[in-house]
Amino acid sequence: MSLTTISNGKYTAVICDKGAELYSLKAGGIEYIWQADAAYWNRHAPVLFPFVGRCKGDSYTYGDASYKMKQHGFARDNVFEVERVGETSASFVLRSNPELKKIYPFDFELHVEYRLGGAGLEVVYTVKNNGGSVMFYSIGSHEAYRCPLVEGERFEDYRLRFGANERLDRFYLDDGLTSRDSDPFIDFGQELALKHEYFYRSVAVLKNLRSTSVTLKSRVSGHGVEVRFAGFKNFGVWQAKDAPFLALEPWNGISDEAAFFGTLPTKTDILRLNAGASQVFTHSIHPF
C-alpha cells in the first residue's frame, strides 16, 4: 500500500493505491475528508465497483452461474496500479484477473483519475469492457466529509443545499437492501438542516434527482464543500451514528430490494457496456 500526493498550491490531495481511495483533501488549512477514525468508520472515500450497495444474499446470478459479491463490490479492497502521476493529477487502474473473475466474470478495466484545478478536485472514472459480450456493472462514490469542519462548531450547524428545487423521498436500507419504506427528505425545496437522528435507521437513499450538485455548508463559519455529480442517477447521504462526518455519495446503481429474484441484467439501475466500449463518469469536489 502506498500514498500519492498531488498539489496545485491551493489544494492538496492524497490518494492510496488500495482502492484508489482519496485519503485527504486540504485547502486553506482545513482537512475536508474524514480521517477514518475506527471508532465510527474506518474508511475515507471508497470507490464502489462493480456494484453499488448490497446484492440480495451477497450473491448474484449471471448466465447459468451464481457468484458471491460483498457489499459495494471489490474495488475498494484491491490494490490499483499507479498509471501516471503529475504535479496536479494522478491516475490508477484495476484490471480483471483470474481471482476477480471467480466473482465477476468480465474482462474489465477501471481507471480512476484525480485532477486538481482552480476550483477543487475532479474525479474521473473510466470503465472499459475488454471482453466479447455485454458487461453489466454499477459505479459510485462513498466520500465522507468532516462535519463539523471547524473546531467549536456542531453537526447541527450545517445544512445541505441541493442545486435544484426537489420533492425527494428518502428510501431506507434494511440489512443493506433497499426497502420500499420511504418518507419525505425534502418537500418542495432545496435545503435541509442536519440532525444526527436523520441517519439513525440507515443511509438516505435518494432516487432520480433533478439536482446535479449538493452543498454541505456551515451557517457559523461559512465553510463547506460542494459536490457536483452530473451523470449520476441516484445519491446517498449517510452518517455512522453520531459521527462527526457526512458521506455524500453519487451513485449509478443501487442495492437490491428484498423482493428481488432476478438475474444480473435485471438488477435495478444496472449499467450495460458493449464489448470493446468504454464509459466515463465524472464528479467533482469543491471545498470552500
Side-chain angles (χ1 to χ4, degrees), residues 25 30-37 40-41 43-44 143-161 192-196 198-199 214-225 237-248 288:
L25 178 61
I30 297 175
E31 173 63 73
Y32 284 83
I33 298 298
W34 169 244
Q35 290 302 289
D37 181 349
Y40 295 101
W41 186 55
R43 297 181 188 264
H44 305 261
E143 288 147 359
Y145 300 94
R146 292 178 59 242
C147 186
L149 289 165
V150 178
E151 187 175 352
E153 293 182 333
R154 303 174 307 135
F155 183 77
E156 291 80 4
D157 293 329
Y158 285 73
R159 292 176 177 268
L160 279 183
R161 182 174 178 84
L192 177 74
L194 292 176
K195 297 180 181 179
H196 287 298
Y198 286 166
F199 307 101
V214 171
T215 300
L216 173 68
K217 183 178 180 180
S218 167
R219 62 178 175 83
V220 177
S221 68
H223 285 293
V225 61
V237 184
W238 175 73
Q239 179 195 51
K241 187 175 182 180
D242 296 329
F245 73 77
L246 190 69
L248 303 176
F288 56 87

Side-chain angles (χ1 to χ4, degrees), residues 57-266:
D58 295 320
S59 65
Y60 67 96
T61 301
Y62 176 68
D64 296 326
S66 180
Y67 300 88
K68 289 292 185 182
M69 182 64 66
K70 59 188 176 182
Q71 180 169 283
H72 293 321
F74 51 68
R76 61 182 182 167
D77 294 319
N78 276 266
V79 174
F80 283 58
E81 175 188 343
V82 180
E83 286 189 291
R84 298 181 306 277
V85 177
E87 186 176 349
T88 61
S89 66
S91 180
F92 305 80
V93 62
L94 179 67
R95 296 183 174 88
S96 179
N97 60 50
E99 285 303 308
L100 292 179
K101 276 199 163 186
K102 293 177 182 177
I103 56 174
Y104 186 66
F106 299 100
D107 290 315
F108 73 88
E109 293 180 16
L110 171 61
H111 301 257
V112 182
E113 183 175 9
Y114 294 90
R115 305 170 181 167
L116 287 173
L121 180 67
E122 188 176 58
V123 187
V124 182
Y125 309 101
T126 302
V127 182
K128 295 183 178 181
N129 179 1
N130 295 325
S133 60
V134 175
M135 173 177 149
F136 300 90
Y137 74 100
S138 301
I139 192 162
S141 164
H142 199 319
E143 288 147 359
Y145 300 94
R146 292 178 59 242
C147 186
L149 289 165
V150 178
E151 187 175 352
E153 293 182 333
R154 303 174 307 135
F155 183 77
E156 291 80 4
D157 293 329
Y158 285 73
R159 292 176 177 268
L160 279 183
R161 182 174 178 84
F162 289 79
N165 281 318
E166 299 278 8
R167 168 60 178 92
L168 283 175
D169 287 338
R170 64 170 293 167
F171 292 83
Y172 294 93
L173 296 185
D174 289 338
D175 196 24
L177 301 178
T178 304
S179 171
R180 294 183 179 179
D181 292 345
S182 66
D183 57 38
F185 192 69
I186 288 187
D187 198 357
F188 300 106
Q190 289 182 268
E191 285 198 349
L192 177 74
L194 292 176
K195 297 180 181 179
H196 287 298
E197 53 263 36
Y198 286 166
F199 307 101
Y200 282 176
R201 176 172 170 182
S202 83
V203 60
V205 178
L206 309 178
K207 302 180 182 182
N208 302 314
L209 285 78
R210 296 177 60 238
S211 299
T212 58
S213 67
V214 171
T215 300
L216 173 68
K217 183 178 180 180
S218 167
R219 62 178 175 83
V220 177
S221 68
H223 285 293
V225 61
E226 180 190 24
V227 179
R228 300 175 188 170
F229 53 92
F232 288 84
K233 183 176 182 180
N234 304 315
F235 201 83
V237 184
W238 175 73
Q239 179 195 51
K241 187 175 182 180
D242 296 329
F245 73 77
L246 190 69
L248 303 176
E249 310 176 36
W251 296 342
N252 271 323
I254 203 165
S255 290
D256 288 342
E257 291 189 358
F260 179 72
F261 291 101
T263 61
L264 178 59
T266 65

